[in-house]
Amino acid sequence: MSATASSETILHGLLDLSQGWYIWPDREAGWRNDTLHLPGTFDLAELQQRAPTGGWSVLDQKAANGEAAHACLPATVEQYFWGRWGKTRLSSREYFFAKNDPLDENGIYYGVSWFWHDFELPVDWTGRTFELHVPAARLRAEVFLNEQLIGYDVIGETPFSCDATAAVRLGARNRLAIRITNPGGRLDWCDFHDRAGADEPPTALALVWGEQILPLSHGFGGLDSGIELRATGPSRIVDIFFRNRADAGTADIDVQLSGDATCRCILRPCSDETVIWRNELITRECKASFEVRDAAVALWSPLSPTLYELTVECLVGNTVSDRRSVKVGFRWFTVTGIGDRAMFRINGKRIRLRSAISWNYWPGSGLFPSETALKAEIKAVRELGFNTLTAHRNIANARAIAAADRAGLLRWQEPGAGRAAWTGASAFERGYMREKIARMIRRDRNSPSHVVVGIQNEQVEESALDPAVRDILEMVRATDPTRIVVLKSGFAGAENVPEDMRHYADQQAYVLPGDPSYHHDRGDGWSGWWDNHTVGGPGVWQDWIYRSPQDFSHASDNRSEIVFWGEVLGSGSPDPLDCTASTGWQSDREELLRKGYDDFLGRRGWRPFFADHAALSREVAVRSAHFWARVIGNMRISDNVDGFALSGWESEPFEQHTGIVDLYRRPKAPPTEIARANRALQLVIKPRGLVHATSTRVIVDVYLVNDCGVSGSGILQLSAGAQEVAKRSVTISGGEVYAELLLEGIEILVGGPGYLGLHSGATFQDTELTATEDIFIVDWRSGPDIAATILEEGCNLASFLREIGVAPVQLFRAPVIVIQGRQALTQAIIDYAENGGRLVILADGSAETKHWARQFQNTGILPNRGTLGPAMASWTGSWYIAGEDSAVFAGLPSRCALGWEYQADPRGAGAWFAPDQLGRFADGLLLDNDDAQVLVVYGRDHQPELAAAMVRIPIGKGELLFSSIAGLYSSLSGTANGVHPDIARKWVRNLLTVQVDTPFGHPHANRC
């Protein structure tokens, strides 16, 4: 409600135009050679006014004959017409890995489309000025009202406005028609175009439109919801800036009007209509500034996201010429202690950021979230326990920022392609990016949730003192001096960066709220802001990730700088799609995956293990959730770590499958594990290794994560199974010490094989804390007798057999022949198997798997269509899933994803994705033989087929047992090279002792 006096006349009016639109792709319209115009560089009256192909009347014809889609905003052409006229192969301009992973799945509509909506205006809205506000469009938007061009914009996904006064019709039908042109764009993460491959043209990654190159962005064409027609009197509100101050609970309000008038500000809680503060001033030079002091306000924070409605009215005499309301929150977010004890603070209290990176892809439209998806995102964030989300390499949606304001979710935002503001190929590209950054800042500067602006992710190699670089940070600070602005995320310290990325190392710069300094790298890698990326990694927990309190991944002893782990590792899993048919750009890919997985389960007899695609996919996601929870634990037990961003938040159809949630923002696994790791106050049990051989000693450490600042003393207890192994009196520091080691080096002698549960408990200030952790014990030293002939290119098998007291047997004198490496499958060996012998073949990596696929094709003993292809980067995802066989999995988990017990990295030794390393990455056979029993499945990224990574098949009276598990053979050396060494030894021992007459698929109780 307004505080407007009853004697005042109201001229302000607002019409929401989000509902009732039509969309029609105008495939005959020309666009490819158009000249583009940046804001402020053109006269609208001089631009060519292009009607739809066939004239304006064609729009009604297309609506009537069904060629136009009926839609509500937000909407994109791809939401309704994805692949309608066929699909093409994804190129490097859409998909970074297109050369390695050919996909004929590009359904982007390139070109012109029309979005139109009819509405009426009251006849009594005479004498007013009309402004059309468009929250976001992509890419070029030519705005027509009643066939008159009233606006033009090319700055994608940012707000702009048009003067509609001359074109409106009062008391009659009005038609708003927006001509959207989509030149294409990305369907993955990439936001830079100057790193084409050596065998590609320089513009292979670029978004090229005629003679111009545009900064990269997502490849959809459409409109966001919230398009409004605003009616005002002679003076209107141009801008409102609610500027929080360092003295939390106070603020300045800057208002800009189109003409001098009286400006009135009214502040109320969003929860009721009580006016807690009001003031009014007569503007000078169309500006007014207000100070909010001594108002009884509650502070905004993640734990208490109190919002207020700030209403600004523009009065000319007794006429309310314009009125606008914005949601605001009182809070101060900054960094203190640079050079001494650096930390983030909100409202004076230390805070550590728990985030994941979001590429800002959405179901349906691809580009803009529905209200259902926004609610699902907030629900998932709460369930999983994060307090921050990072908009990564693409601008966040304004409605997603508003949802974060309401929910108490902090937002870190990158505009995407930020470095183009100073490295762009032309003045046009540089100007484009500068304008996009400025619009993003103005759009979100009233948001209490938006706390950090990151200009570019990783790809910055220019000096932080380069005037063009500094100019961008200073421009942002001038536009909004209340935000933290960071030049880049990633690659702090050349020693922490892969060799081929070291030109991006260091060169950090940043500005802080209320601080006039320009902070930057001193030339030795120290800037006060340390942000490093570890994207990649094994995708599954491996014991090297935590070795001891002095040696664990993602820790830090750096107190003098902000320590932020951006893009933390990666662990891909397929989305557990339900059977509900979806609509939009993602629906075709989802149907392919669902059908491919379900066909495999039925054909291979795996439905008793996993009922459908969703069940199998969820099992892989559980593996990932276990991994993420323990990696989060590592970062949180290191008190110097100020925050992290997991890689990543949502999955999408073509590349990022490492999301914790799916495209619809549903957690891919039950949220329990990750939510527990994100708790503000908790005990954390850290065994020095989760997998151990029988009769060995396990060393355990116990930490406290204490983001609440609780202090005091208590009794800490640690048990292994039913046995108490430690009990200590401990004192916790509390205050701003958010993590500390409570128990160190507790030794536990483990006995027989299986799972052993660890439990810890303590009570501090009447708060009872408990923690649990499982370890897995495996017995590889004992078992049935082994008699085997070894044919290997290496020496790991022979060494392993010697270790357990077994001597290899001469060829054809033993019941088993074990072959490793790229050897020939001779007729004599095949005859041996057909007469009752067993062949065990261990292929270690993709190169050897491809070799054996050809051998099997040539000999006909295992018909196949080749291999699925090697695992790629961990964020694209690859996984193994175990079936069931009592002999093969004796003493090992089965009917589950190969998770922390196996520690099986599909990339072998866990190397960074690179084409020259693909030969040792995982792969699997695409079988044509229905007689084969698939023991382990290999799947990867978005491929709709599942391959056999371990298979058992009869050959005459004997059988073949083939494995392509990457690292299984290598890890027999005792060093983890893709599989935990103790697991590798146990598993290979099982393979060597399986009897030919053992029934396939015999049920047993071992299960993850």
Side-chain angles (χ1 to χ4, degrees):
M1 295 176 61
S2 172
T4 303
S6 59
S7 60
E8 294 174 346
T9 302
I10 300 174
L11 292 182
H12 168 263
L14 186 68
L15 194 63
D16 186 341
L17 305 178
S18 294
Q19 307 297 311
W21 287 73
Y22 285 95
I23 305 172
W24 170 61
D26 189 351
R27 298 176 64 206
E28 302 302 317
W31 63 276
R32 292 188 182 276
N33 296 314
D34 290 351
T35 299
L36 303 181
H37 307 283
L38 294 177
T41 66
F42 62 91
D43 182 344
L44 187 67
E46 295 180 359
L47 295 185
Q48 181 181 358
Q49 299 198 26
R50 289 173 284 200
T53 301
W56 287 105
S57 62
V58 78
L59 299 183
D60 288 325
Q61 297 170 20
K62 299 302 180 182
N65 66 20
E67 291 185 47
H70 190 260
C72 293
L73 301 185
T76 62
V77 180
E78 287 70 25
Q79 184 173 357
Y80 295 93
F81 296 95
W82 177 268
R84 175 70 62 89
W85 295 282
K87 295 178 182 176
T88 59
R89 175 158 292 185
L90 289 168
S91 73
S92 296
R93 288 183 175 173
E94 296 87 30
Y95 177 36
F96 192 77
F97 293 124
K99 291 190 298 180
N100 307 98
D101 183 32
L103 289 173
D104 297 323
E105 299 267 349
N106 185 7
I108 292 175
Y109 170 74
Y110 297 83
V112 173
S113 54
W114 288 90
F115 288 65
W116 70 94
H117 168 82
D118 294 341
F119 62 94
E120 291 190 2
L121 289 174
V123 70
D124 60 354
W125 279 20
T126 56
R128 308 187 189 195
T129 298
F130 291 87
E131 181 184 62
L132 183 76
H133 176 71
V134 181
R138 189 184 183 277
L139 189 103
R140 181 179 63 187
E142 297 164 278
V143 184
F144 293 84
L145 181 60
N146 299 322
E147 302 178 12
Q148 295 183 47
L149 182 66
I150 64 168
Y152 173 101
D153 193 74
V154 295
I155 312 297
E157 301 174 73
T158 61
F160 66 95
S161 297
C162 315
D163 184 355
T165 307
V168 296
R169 297 170 181 167
L170 302 181
R173 189 191 80 164
N174 291 264
R175 171 162 290 178
L176 174 62
I178 302 181
R179 188 180 191 260
I180 292 291
T181 309
N182 179 13
R186 306 301 302 185
L187 294 174
D188 64 357
W189 55 272
C190 187
D191 71 343
F192 54 91
H193 62 69
D194 57 348
R195 290 294 180 270
D199 58 342
E200 296 178 310
T203 58
L205 303 180
L207 179 55
V208 180
W209 188 339
E211 298 295 322
Q212 291 144 325
I213 293 178
L214 284 77
L216 297 183
S217 56
H218 293 345
F220 306 94
L223 295 171
D224 198 5
S225 62
I227 294 180
E228 296 175 339
L229 187 66
R230 298 169 177 171
T232 66
S235 183
R236 61 183 175 82
I237 298 166
V238 175
D239 186 56
I240 302 168
F241 182 16
F242 181 85
R243 272 191 299 123
N244 272 294
R245 296 173 60 93
D247 183 9
T250 66
D252 296 326
I253 302 171
D254 297 331
V255 180
Q256 183 177 352
L257 306 181
S258 64
D260 282 332
T262 298
C263 184
R264 175 190 294 157
C265 292
I266 305 156
L267 192 67
R268 304 181 183 85
C270 287
S271 55
D272 62 52
E273 295 296 321
T274 305
V275 175
I276 64 168
W277 176 90
R278 65 177 290 161
N279 201 350
E280 62 181 55
L281 294 171
I282 297 175
T283 64
R284 294 188 177 185
E285 297 180 353
C286 303
K287 295 179 181 179
S289 293
F290 301 84
E291 294 182 350
V292 182
R293 307 286 189 273
D294 303 320
V297 298
L299 301 183
W300 186 99
S301 72
L303 296 178
S304 180
T306 303
L307 289 176
Y308 293 86
E309 183 175 72
L310 173 63
T311 300
V312 178
E313 294 180 336
C314 172
L315 294 93
V316 178
N318 283 331
T319 299
V320 178
S321 182
D322 195 6
R323 177 189 299 139
R324 196 175 303 179
S325 294
V326 294
K327 300 292 193 301
V328 298
F330 290 85
R331 67 106 183 96
W332 188 253
F333 186 93
T334 190
V335 169
T336 63
I338 295 293
D340 179 24
R341 181 64 179 96
M343 58 184 66
F344 291 118
R345 291 187 184 275
I346 186 166
N347 304 328
K349 178 178 171 56
R350 184 187 183 191
I351 186 171
R352 298 201 288 178
L353 306 186
R354 308 185 302 274
S355 184
I357 60 173
S358 170
W359 296 271
N360 300 298
Y361 284 101
W362 297 94
S365 74
L367 198 60
F368 306 118
S370 67
E371 290 304 310
T372 298
L374 283 176
K375 290 176 182 177
E377 177 158 273
I378 296 301
K379 179 174 183 288
V381 167
R382 287 171 170 163
E383 288 179 345
L384 291 160
F386 294 98
N387 63 9
T388 310
L389 269 186
T390 302
H392 179 72
R393 295 190 185 268
N394 200 81
I395 188 171
N397 180 266
R399 290 180 293 109
I401 297 288
D405 291 342
R406 296 189 295 270
L409 174 65
L410 301 175
R411 294 302 307 252
W412 179 315
Q413 185 172 200
E414 297 168 357
R419 69 189 297 264
W422 64 86
T423 66
S426 64
F428 177 88
E429 186 181 7
R430 295 190 294 274
Y432 184 108
M433 198 64 237
R434 185 184 180 93
E435 175 67 16
K436 186 170 185 177
I437 293 170
R439 286 191 187 183
M440 181 185 82
I441 301 304
R442 288 195 298 269
R443 184 195 72 178
D444 298 329
R445 63 184 181 176
N446 291 324
S447 162
S449 67
H450 186 211
V451 294
V452 180
V453 176
I455 302 300
Q456 174 65 50
N457 189 73
E458 294 184 344
Q459 277 74 31
V460 175
E461 55 189 307
E462 296 75 24
S463 167
L465 296 177
D466 185 319
V469 172
R470 180 168 183 170
D471 180 61
I472 296 300
L473 272 74
E474 295 291 5
M475 180 269 288
V476 174
R477 170 158 54 187
T479 307
D480 180 3
T482 72
R483 290 322 114 160
I484 296 172
V485 187
V486 184
L487 174 60
K488 66 172 183 174
S489 176
F491 300 152
E495 71 279 5
N496 302 307
V497 182
E499 187 172 352
D500 62 339
M501 307 287 271
R502 284 184 183 163
H503 51 292
Y504 296 138
D506 301 326
Q507 299 304 338
Q508 183 60 285
Y510 58 97
V511 298
L512 300 175
D515 178 356
S517 301
Y518 180 72
H519 300 272
H520 59 85
D521 190 306
R522 302 182 307 194
D524 59 359
W526 193 96
S527 67
W529 189 289
W530 188 98
D531 182 332
N532 204 25
H533 290 182
T534 58
V535 60
V540 64
W541 180 267
Q542 294 184 326
D543 283 345
W544 63 265
I545 301 174
Y546 183 89
R547 293 190 176 107
S548 75
Q550 296 75 38
D551 183 8
F552 63 95
S553 174
H554 294 81
S556 179
D557 59 3
N558 183 356
R559 294 172 55 86
S560 66
E561 298 184 277
I562 285 293
V563 174
F564 192 83
W565 291 100
E567 285 198 50
V568 174
L569 300 174
S571 183
S573 62
D575 287 354
L577 306 169
D578 57 30
C579 295
T580 305
S582 62
T583 58
W585 72 294
Q586 77 283 355
S587 59
D588 290 352
R589 168 55 53 180
E590 289 180 354
E591 183 57 31
L592 278 174
L593 286 171
R594 186 184 295 113
K595 184 177 185 304
Y597 276 42
D598 284 344
D599 285 352
F600 174 90
L601 294 174
R603 183 180 179 187
R604 295 296 169 188
W606 273 47
R607 289 201 186 277
F609 314 149
F610 307 102
D612 55 20
H613 167 273
L616 184 145
S617 299
R618 195 167 289 112
E619 194 69 38
V620 182
V622 167
R623 173 212 69 169
S624 296
H626 178 280
F627 169 78
W628 284 128
R630 279 141 193 86
V631 171
I632 291 171
N634 272 23
M635 293 180 285
R636 301 200 66 209
I637 63 175
S638 181
D639 191 45
N640 294 321
V641 173
D642 297 294
F644 62 83
L646 303 186
S647 182
W649 178 239
E650 85 276 5
S651 290
E652 60 99 355
F654 294 107
E655 210 231 29
Q656 291 93 217
H657 308 291
T658 185
I660 296 166
V661 299
D662 64 16
L663 187 66
Y664 302 87
R665 273 44 177 191
R666 301 172 296 200
K668 292 162 74 172
T672 313
E673 287 255 36
I674 294 175
R676 184 166 56 242
N678 275 326
R679 285 187 301 198
L681 182 63
Q682 58 173 308
L683 294 173
V684 179
I685 301 173
K686 283 291 186 181
R688 301 183 190 181
L690 295 186
V691 175
H692 297 270
T694 52
S695 303
T696 57
R697 291 187 180 274
V698 179
I699 301 177
V700 179
D701 307 309
V702 180
Y703 295 81
L704 177 72
V705 170
N706 185 10
D707 286 20
C708 302
V710 172
S711 61
S713 300
I715 302 298
L716 179 66
Q717 170 269 343
L718 176 67
S719 300
Q723 178 186 2
E724 184 176 86
V725 295
K727 191 172 185 179
R728 304 279 194 278
S729 176
V730 296
T731 299
I732 59 175
S733 304
E736 293 185 341
V737 177
Y738 278 14
E740 53 192 320
L741 178 63
L742 301 183
L743 279 180
E744 181 177 4
I746 304 300
E747 291 192 4
I748 302 170
L749 179 63
V750 299
Y755 291 95
L756 176 64
L758 305 178
H759 179 274
S760 185
T763 300
F764 302 104
Q765 290 189 6
D766 299 324
T767 300
E768 183 178 354
L769 302 177
T770 62
T772 59
E773 182 63 289
D774 286 340
I775 59 177
F776 188 69
I777 314 302
V778 61
D779 180 9
W780 55 266
R781 292 184 175 89
S782 62
D785 292 338
I786 296 173
T789 298
I790 307 300
L791 302 177
E792 61 178 329
E793 293 179 347
C795 60
N796 290 351
L797 271 167
S799 298
F800 167 59
L801 292 180
R802 283 196 301 271
E803 189 173 2
I804 58 176
V806 175
V809 180
Q810 188 177 353
L811 185 61
F812 304 133
R813 299 290 180 89
V816 181
I817 296 177
V818 187
I819 304 175
Q820 175 273 325
R822 285 179 267 194
Q823 303 194 46
L825 190 57
T826 66
Q827 188 60 46
I829 292 177
I830 295 173
D831 292 343
Y832 156 87
E834 289 180 339
N835 289 321
R838 293 184 59 245
L839 294 181
V840 177
I841 299 176
L842 303 179
D844 204 341
S846 180
E848 292 184 13
T849 303
K850 293 180 186 298
H851 165 82
W852 286 107
R854 291 189 294 269
Q855 291 279 303
F856 296 149
Q857 290 169 347
N858 294 339
T859 58
I861 66 171
L862 184 56
N864 66 85
R865 293 177 284 112
T867 69
L868 183 61
M872 296 203 306
S874 62
W875 66 85
T876 69
S878 46
W879 39 84
Y880 294 120
I881 307 158
E884 193 170 62
D885 186 296
S886 60
V888 170
F889 296 107
L892 298 172
S894 62
R895 298 176 64 178
C896 62
L898 301 193
W900 65 270
E901 299 94 336
Y902 288 87
Q903 303 190 10
D905 180 358
R907 298 171 314 131
W912 180 267
F913 171 78
D916 62 348
Q917 297 173 346
L918 293 180
R920 60 179 177 157
F921 288 6
D923 210 337
L925 300 177
L926 297 173
L927 299 180
D928 278 339
N929 190 319
D930 289 341
D931 295 331
Q933 179 197 9
V934 177
L935 302 169
V936 178
V937 160
Y938 161 66
R940 51 164 278 205
D941 47 69
H942 35 257
Q943 302 300 325
E945 290 191 276
L946 291 170
M950 187 176 287
V951 61
R952 189 177 174 192
I953 185 171
I955 303 176
K957 297 178 181 179
E959 71 170 12
L960 165 68
L961 206 159
F962 172 75
S963 168
S964 66
I965 304 292
L968 180 58
Y969 171 80
S970 303
S971 299
L972 291 174
S973 66
T975 300
N977 284 307
V979 178
H980 193 283
D982 290 330
I983 296 295
R985 291 160 168 168
K986 174 61 177 175
W987 209 353
V988 169
R989 182 164 196 148
N990 287 352
L991 297 182
L992 300 187
T993 55
V994 171
Q995 300 299 309
V996 172
D997 57 356
T998 301
F1000 288 7
H1002 182 68
H1004 62 98
N1006 290 338
R1007 175 160 170 76
C1008 290

